[in-house]
Amino acid sequence: MTVAELPLADTLARPLRDLRISVTDRCQFRCTYCMPREIFGRGFVFLPREQLLTFEELARLARVFAGLGVRKLRLTGGEPLLRRDLDKLVAMLAAVDGAQDIALTTNGALLAGKARVLAAAGLRRVTVSLDSLDDEVFMTLNDARFPVARVLEAIAAAAAAGLAPVKVNMVVRRGVNERSVLPMAAHFRHTGHVLRFIEYMDVGTTNGWRLDEVVPAAEIISVVGGQWPLEPLAPSCPGEVAARYRYRDGGGEIGVIASVTQPFCRGCTRARLSADGKLYTCLFAGTGHDLRGLLRAGASDQALREHVAAIWTRRADRYSERRTRQTSRNKVSRKAEMSYIGG
Ligand code: SAM
Ligand code: SF4
Ligand code: SF4
């Protein structure tokens, strides 16, 4: 594939539009569904600093991806705000031609003090994760004794810095925080922020995922809609992962990300870059394609572009559409962890 053959499409005719960049595999939380403490405990070895892509390398790759059609960049991890001077990276990415949108997904722990400088550097949107308003439930899930109030402060600080509306991600796990669904909906109605309920996914191999712990999006919509009637909204952009709804009484918008019960692989235009520079064409891929090696061996932008184009052209991933109870139970595959690959 040469770049002259743009627009680029994979084997299922999906273009490359979004790049999720993991800037670190570390996190100060130990969410049970993502980095369970039994695995990510004291002895766990995270990537050494020299293996992480530098800001210059990240900006260069962002330019290469933008040249192939990427329009949206999202910084994630691990916890992206643990990476020092992240605002400098945001400013470098904001200068990339074609990158129309720069977003951040964060647990919020360090956001309140950084929201202003990030917004000033060119960050356009922020998604903050919060799984409950009840401290006991939230702390059970984050396993780091982190209180709800600090996340709410972070959301307010982001809005005050001009990053409103804030998206709030809530992973719903049966028997753990499903009772938090209605209080969360009540809290974020009429705030302008968009609460998104996420089905608990079988990412990685360490969280002990079971299908019966997934609360289907349809159930969540029926519970919330039973309290405050809802109506569906059209997707705001092609390839959007959340199904959108609005409260009929004008209370605002919510979303559900039904990656287990209603997979959306057909419209999946996302690539992921791990903190050590591997390109993953699916959240559930077992292996990535090393770009850091090429970068550090002196590859030209053209060579990098052609390499990425060739990978994307061969892409056939549609894990969620193929997922079955059986494969999940047997854990047949070697899937990368979400904290490493970037959520
Ligand atoms: N640390 C940041 C945060 O928590 O927002 C960014 C990285 S985190 C991996 C990105 C998103 O993935 C979060 O909203 C998190 O709740 C979600 N996530 C992690 N593990 C998940 C799982 N097993 N199923 C569904 N969502 C998950
Ligand atoms: Fe950390 Fe985010 Fe994973 Fe929680 S979901 S452990 S905050 S990376
Ligand atoms: Fe995209 Fe893979 Fe998720 Fe399907 S399973 S939506 S291909 S990341």
mmCIF file of all heavy atoms in Angstrom, residues 14 264-265 268 270 272 281-284 315 317-320, ligand 3:
data_model
loop_
_atom_site.group_PDB
_atom_site.id
_atom_site.type_symbol
_atom_site.label_atom_id
_atom_site.label_comp_id
_atom_site.label_asym_id
_atom_site.label_seq_id
_atom_site.Cartn_x
_atom_site.Cartn_y
_atom_site.Cartn_z
ATOM 1 N N ARG A 14 -13.150 -0.284 6.902
ATOM 2 C CA ARG A 14 -13.174 0.703 7.983
ATOM 3 C C ARG A 14 -11.966 1.638 7.856
ATOM 4 O O ARG A 14 -10.827 1.175 7.801
ATOM 5 C CB ARG A 14 -13.150 0.003 9.350
ATOM 6 C CG ARG A 14 -14.369 -0.889 9.575
ATOM 7 C CD ARG A 14 -14.209 -1.756 10.805
ATOM 8 N NE ARG A 14 -13.132 -2.721 10.680
ATOM 9 C CZ ARG A 14 -12.894 -3.709 11.541
ATOM 10 N NH1 ARG A 14 -13.679 -3.847 12.604
ATOM 11 N NH2 ARG A 14 -11.898 -4.539 11.363
ATOM 12 N N PHE A 264 -19.857 -3.205 18.358
ATOM 13 C CA PHE A 264 -19.881 -2.189 17.307
ATOM 14 C C PHE A 264 -18.617 -2.256 16.458
ATOM 15 O O PHE A 264 -18.097 -1.249 15.994
ATOM 16 C CB PHE A 264 -20.050 -0.795 17.921
ATOM 17 C CG PHE A 264 -19.366 -0.651 19.258
ATOM 18 C CD1 PHE A 264 -18.003 -0.496 19.345
ATOM 19 C CD2 PHE A 264 -20.107 -0.700 20.433
ATOM 20 C CE1 PHE A 264 -17.371 -0.380 20.570
ATOM 21 C CE2 PHE A 264 -19.482 -0.586 21.675
ATOM 22 C CZ PHE A 264 -18.110 -0.424 21.739
ATOM 23 N N CYS A 265 -18.087 -3.482 16.270
ATOM 24 C CA CYS A 265 -16.840 -3.627 15.506
ATOM 25 C C CYS A 265 -16.971 -3.074 14.088
ATOM 26 O O CYS A 265 -16.008 -2.554 13.525
ATOM 27 C CB CYS A 265 -16.443 -5.097 15.421
ATOM 28 S SG CYS A 265 -16.148 -5.844 17.038
ATOM 29 N N CYS A 268 -15.713 0.282 13.793
ATOM 30 C CA CYS A 268 -14.547 0.577 14.645
ATOM 31 C C CYS A 268 -13.386 1.143 13.837
ATOM 32 O O CYS A 268 -12.759 0.449 13.042
ATOM 33 C CB CYS A 268 -14.114 -0.668 15.405
ATOM 34 S SG CYS A 268 -12.691 -0.345 16.457
ATOM 35 N N ARG A 270 -10.736 2.722 15.316
ATOM 36 C CA ARG A 270 -9.723 3.083 16.319
ATOM 37 C C ARG A 270 -8.472 2.212 16.265
ATOM 38 O O ARG A 270 -8.563 0.989 16.192
ATOM 39 C CB ARG A 270 -10.302 2.924 17.729
ATOM 40 C CG ARG A 270 -11.229 4.034 18.143
ATOM 41 C CD ARG A 270 -11.821 3.757 19.494
ATOM 42 N NE ARG A 270 -12.572 2.499 19.508
ATOM 43 C CZ ARG A 270 -13.757 2.330 18.998
ATOM 44 N NH1 ARG A 270 -14.383 3.337 18.426
ATOM 45 N NH2 ARG A 270 -14.359 1.175 19.025
ATOM 46 N N ARG A 272 -4.752 1.758 18.565
ATOM 47 C CA ARG A 272 -4.196 2.063 19.893
ATOM 48 C C ARG A 272 -2.685 1.944 19.860
ATOM 49 O O ARG A 272 -2.143 1.020 19.242
ATOM 50 C CB ARG A 272 -4.753 1.067 20.920
ATOM 51 C CG ARG A 272 -6.208 1.260 21.184
ATOM 52 C CD ARG A 272 -6.717 0.252 22.192
ATOM 53 N NE ARG A 272 -7.896 0.746 22.859
ATOM 54 C CZ ARG A 272 -9.125 0.667 22.358
ATOM 55 N NH1 ARG A 272 -9.336 0.102 21.193
ATOM 56 N NH2 ARG A 272 -10.144 1.155 23.025
ATOM 57 N N THR A 281 -4.407 -2.989 16.740
ATOM 58 C CA THR A 281 -5.545 -2.651 15.883
ATOM 59 C C THR A 281 -6.875 -3.062 16.510
ATOM 60 O O THR A 281 -7.920 -2.879 15.914
ATOM 61 C CB THR A 281 -5.387 -3.295 14.495
ATOM 62 O OG1 THR A 281 -5.213 -4.708 14.673
ATOM 63 C CG2 THR A 281 -4.198 -2.716 13.747
ATOM 64 N N CYS A 282 -6.807 -3.612 17.726
ATOM 65 C CA CYS A 282 -8.039 -3.981 18.440
ATOM 66 C C CYS A 282 -7.724 -3.996 19.931
ATOM 67 O O CYS A 282 -6.632 -4.400 20.336
ATOM 68 C CB CYS A 282 -8.529 -5.349 17.987
ATOM 69 S SG CYS A 282 -9.984 -5.968 18.886
ATOM 70 N N LEU A 283 -8.692 -3.581 20.740
ATOM 71 C CA LEU A 283 -8.527 -3.598 22.201
ATOM 72 C C LEU A 283 -8.235 -5.003 22.713
ATOM 73 O O LEU A 283 -7.629 -5.187 23.762
ATOM 74 C CB LEU A 283 -9.814 -3.044 22.841
ATOM 75 C CG LEU A 283 -9.938 -2.989 24.351
ATOM 76 C CD1 LEU A 283 -8.793 -2.204 24.989
ATOM 77 C CD2 LEU A 283 -11.260 -2.355 24.741
ATOM 78 N N PHE A 284 -8.674 -5.987 21.970
ATOM 79 C CA PHE A 284 -8.535 -7.366 22.426
ATOM 80 C C PHE A 284 -7.410 -8.122 21.709
ATOM 81 O O PHE A 284 -7.340 -9.340 21.802
ATOM 82 C CB PHE A 284 -9.870 -8.103 22.244
ATOM 83 C CG PHE A 284 -10.970 -7.489 23.055
ATOM 84 C CD1 PHE A 284 -11.790 -6.513 22.527
ATOM 85 C CD2 PHE A 284 -11.165 -7.867 24.373
ATOM 86 C CE1 PHE A 284 -12.794 -5.924 23.285
ATOM 87 C CE2 PHE A 284 -12.152 -7.287 25.143
ATOM 88 C CZ PHE A 284 -12.978 -6.315 24.592
ATOM 89 N N ARG A 315 -5.960 -5.265 8.423
ATOM 90 C CA ARG A 315 -6.733 -5.427 9.662
ATOM 91 C C ARG A 315 -8.081 -6.113 9.394
ATOM 92 O O ARG A 315 -8.835 -5.720 8.507
ATOM 93 C CB ARG A 315 -6.981 -4.042 10.267
ATOM 94 C CG ARG A 315 -7.867 -4.032 11.504
ATOM 95 C CD ARG A 315 -8.108 -2.582 11.896
ATOM 96 N NE ARG A 315 -8.727 -2.411 13.188
ATOM 97 C CZ ARG A 315 -9.927 -1.824 13.352
ATOM 98 N NH1 ARG A 315 -10.608 -1.384 12.317
ATOM 99 N NH2 ARG A 315 -10.410 -1.679 14.559
ATOM 100 N N ASP A 317 -9.841 -7.285 12.479
ATOM 101 C CA ASP A 317 -10.315 -7.488 13.863
ATOM 102 C C ASP A 317 -11.809 -7.239 14.012
ATOM 103 O O ASP A 317 -12.326 -6.236 13.526
ATOM 104 C CB ASP A 317 -9.605 -6.519 14.821
ATOM 105 C CG ASP A 317 -8.109 -6.663 14.767
ATOM 106 O OD1 ASP A 317 -7.603 -7.643 15.304
ATOM 107 O OD2 ASP A 317 -7.455 -5.788 14.162
ATOM 108 N N ARG A 318 -12.451 -8.127 14.718
ATOM 109 C CA ARG A 318 -13.824 -7.883 15.181
ATOM 110 C C ARG A 318 -14.108 -8.804 16.360
ATOM 111 O O ARG A 318 -15.060 -9.576 16.386
ATOM 112 C CB ARG A 318 -14.851 -7.999 14.068
ATOM 113 C CG ARG A 318 -14.770 -9.239 13.221
ATOM 114 C CD ARG A 318 -15.679 -9.078 12.007
ATOM 115 N NE ARG A 318 -15.796 -10.339 11.292
ATOM 116 C CZ ARG A 318 -16.788 -11.209 11.478
ATOM 117 N NH1 ARG A 318 -17.744 -10.961 12.333
ATOM 118 N NH2 ARG A 318 -16.816 -12.338 10.790
ATOM 119 N N TYR A 319 -13.231 -8.660 17.351
ATOM 120 C CA TYR A 319 -13.273 -9.547 18.504
ATOM 121 C C TYR A 319 -14.651 -9.579 19.165
ATOM 122 O O TYR A 319 -15.194 -10.646 19.454
ATOM 123 C CB TYR A 319 -12.217 -9.117 19.549
ATOM 124 C CG TYR A 319 -12.278 -9.938 20.802
ATOM 125 C CD1 TYR A 319 -11.558 -11.120 20.909
ATOM 126 C CD2 TYR A 319 -13.095 -9.558 21.864
ATOM 127 C CE1 TYR A 319 -11.646 -11.889 22.060
ATOM 128 C CE2 TYR A 319 -13.187 -10.319 23.002
ATOM 129 C CZ TYR A 319 -12.460 -11.480 23.099
ATOM 130 O OH TYR A 319 -12.565 -12.252 24.226
ATOM 131 N N SER A 320 -15.215 -8.413 19.439
ATOM 132 C CA SER A 320 -16.462 -8.384 20.214
ATOM 133 C C SER A 320 -17.607 -9.068 19.474
ATOM 134 O O SER A 320 -18.487 -9.654 20.088
ATOM 135 C CB SER A 320 -16.851 -6.952 20.571
ATOM 136 O OG SER A 320 -15.951 -6.471 21.531
HETATM 137 FE FE1 SF4 B 3 -12.864 -2.388 17.678
HETATM 138 FE FE2 SF4 B 3 -11.769 -4.660 18.517
HETATM 139 FE FE3 SF4 B 3 -13.541 -3.367 20.055
HETATM 140 FE FE4 SF4 B 3 -14.362 -4.626 17.838
HETATM 141 S S1 SF4 B 3 -13.494 -5.579 19.635
HETATM 142 S S2 SF4 B 3 -14.946 -2.557 18.512
HETATM 143 S S3 SF4 B 3 -12.592 -4.278 16.475
HETATM 144 S S4 SF4 B 3 -11.509 -2.617 19.438
#
